[in-house]
Amino acid sequence: MAEGTEAVQSVLYYTEAEAFVETLRTFQIKDIGSDKWETQREHVEKLNIQAVVDATNNVEESIKELLITHEKIPVLIHELIALDLWKRNVLPKIFEMKFNAETSFPAYVVMFYEAILIGLLEVLLFHSECCEAAGDALHDLLQYCQHKLVWLVAGEEDWHDISVESTSVSDAKDELLKRHKKISFDVSLKCVAIVRYIGEHSKDVSLGITTRVLNTYDFPAIFAGLIDNPPWLLRQDDGQWLKYDNNKWNKHSHDDVKNLSKLEGQLWIGMLQFLMSEHCQRNYQLNSSNQASILKLRAHFHPQILNQLPALVDLQRYLEELSLLSTPASRPPLILEQVPEFYTALENKCNGKWKELAVKHYKEIFCMSKERMKKQADKFAATYDMDVMSDLLSEPPKCESCGEGAAKRCSSCQTSWYCGRECQVKHWPKHKEPCKLIAKTMKDVKAAKSQGGS
């Protein structure tokens, strides 16, 4: 990422990234959507893109080092928690109001920030030094992940409505509700990797984190529940299967669907860590409930899985031995657990004010002035400059409609890819609004640059 590096395309120069990291700070929930909050959101999006580029190309991860050096990883976690509380307590009240917003774009940008933050944390927490640098903020992050994964395990949502593209034109509220659901689904799935990384590095952090991973939230049982009843797998009427992978639903035959996706691999590797590592075995408290959940995994060992992850043979043997034993009568160690500080402080600050915040943010975000919306679109267009982003793609782009390989890009906004005209027409009702806004913004930006250079 340094100025002298030519082998890998960069989004940010090192000096830019350092300036962005140094200025990162925490915001209160009432400040979500403000100009200063928007500026930081833009900076974090660029940091995230650069972090992914560095990790993908296996080069020096300067973003990681900067965030550790300047002690900013807890700030990212704080912002994630603030946005989570906003989406749980403010957004539903906004949807209950008389909804007259003409466009969903400004609100979508705010909601999508959660995916940016969780994506950046997923890249960072792969490294044990980032887990150590997160410190006590991991307590809040684990509570966040527990809430998201339990929501998936509960199976109360019908995921079919986000598995197919709608061809009907919906109003801004309906469009936002569907986008909110898809973002929540994507974010929840990313929590699997984050919990796995924290569990893997738990021996390098406090014993309280280990206890929270294994016993307070019992992530081994949660992981087992997801493997046993995966919400990313849907069977269609024709016998084919839909599997959600890389943010897309893809069709699979009965035999192909048994091959592990990246997400499923994360779950199984996590179970290996939770049940087979000496550190976790020493601290995990088995009881009749979680033992019953974990033993259900025995039904999921088949040749494809064992061929892809041979280490699972040891786990299979362990589970067979566990099934023959009665639940051990263990006495949990006496540990004073720390309360998640960010959740507590943010909720106390807004207690009794959620309705007031809903009215405030409806006016400022959902009914944004055209001038402010244009400024936001300017930042969006600058962040996702398509000529630069095309050079950064690690794999061929996918069609926005069907998910297959795409060779053609929308000529107007240059942001969406399609395999052909049929899919582009099908996706147009969804793409129309942001396309026109981004295209106009890019046109105005080019015109301004042209006038400035003349």
Side-chain angles (χ1 to χ4, degrees), residues 413-429:
C413 70
Q414 299 290 305
T415 63
S416 293
W417 292 81
Y418 300 97
C419 61
R421 178 164 177 77
E422 182 179 351
C423 278
Q424 186 174 10
V425 171
K426 182 180 179 181
H427 191 252
W428 177 245

Side-chain angles (χ1 to χ4, degrees), residues 163-222:
S163 68
V164 293
E165 294 286 349
S166 173
T167 56
S168 61
V169 179
S170 56
D171 60 23
K173 181 178 179 180
D174 290 339
E175 181 67 18
L176 270 177
L177 284 168
K178 186 170 182 179
R179 289 187 176 190
H180 170 53
K181 186 174 181 179
K182 186 178 187 303
I183 291 172
S184 298
F185 187 60
D186 291 335
V187 164
S188 299
L189 296 180
K190 283 188 175 294
C191 289
V192 169
I194 287 179
V195 171
R196 182 217 141 185
Y197 297 150
I198 295 174
E200 185 174 320
H201 304 313
S202 61
K203 61 182 181 299
D204 300 319
V205 293
S206 68
L207 182 58
I209 295 299
T210 300
T211 301
R212 196 170 288 273
V213 169
L214 297 175
N215 301 315
T216 306
Y217 297 138
D218 203 346
F219 282 113
I222 292 176

Side-chain angles (χ1 to χ4, degrees), residues 73-82 84-85 88 118 121 125 134-148 191 194-195 198 208-209 212 217 219 338-347:
I73 294 179
V75 173
L76 298 175
I77 295 174
H78 178 280
E79 295 308 281
L80 179 68
I81 303 310
D84 179 48
L85 287 171
R88 281 201 269 162
I118 201 71
L121 288 169
L125 295 175
D136 292 339
L138 289 180
H139 291 280
D140 289 272
L141 183 57
L142 287 171
Q143 180 172 324
Y144 170 89
C145 291
Q146 187 261 356
H147 170 75
K148 296 294 184 181
C191 289
I194 287 179
V195 171
I198 295 174
I209 295 299
R212 196 170 288 273
Y217 297 138
F219 282 113
Q338 183 172 330
V339 175
E341 294 181 1
F342 295 156
Y343 271 111
T344 302
L346 287 165
E347 286 181 305

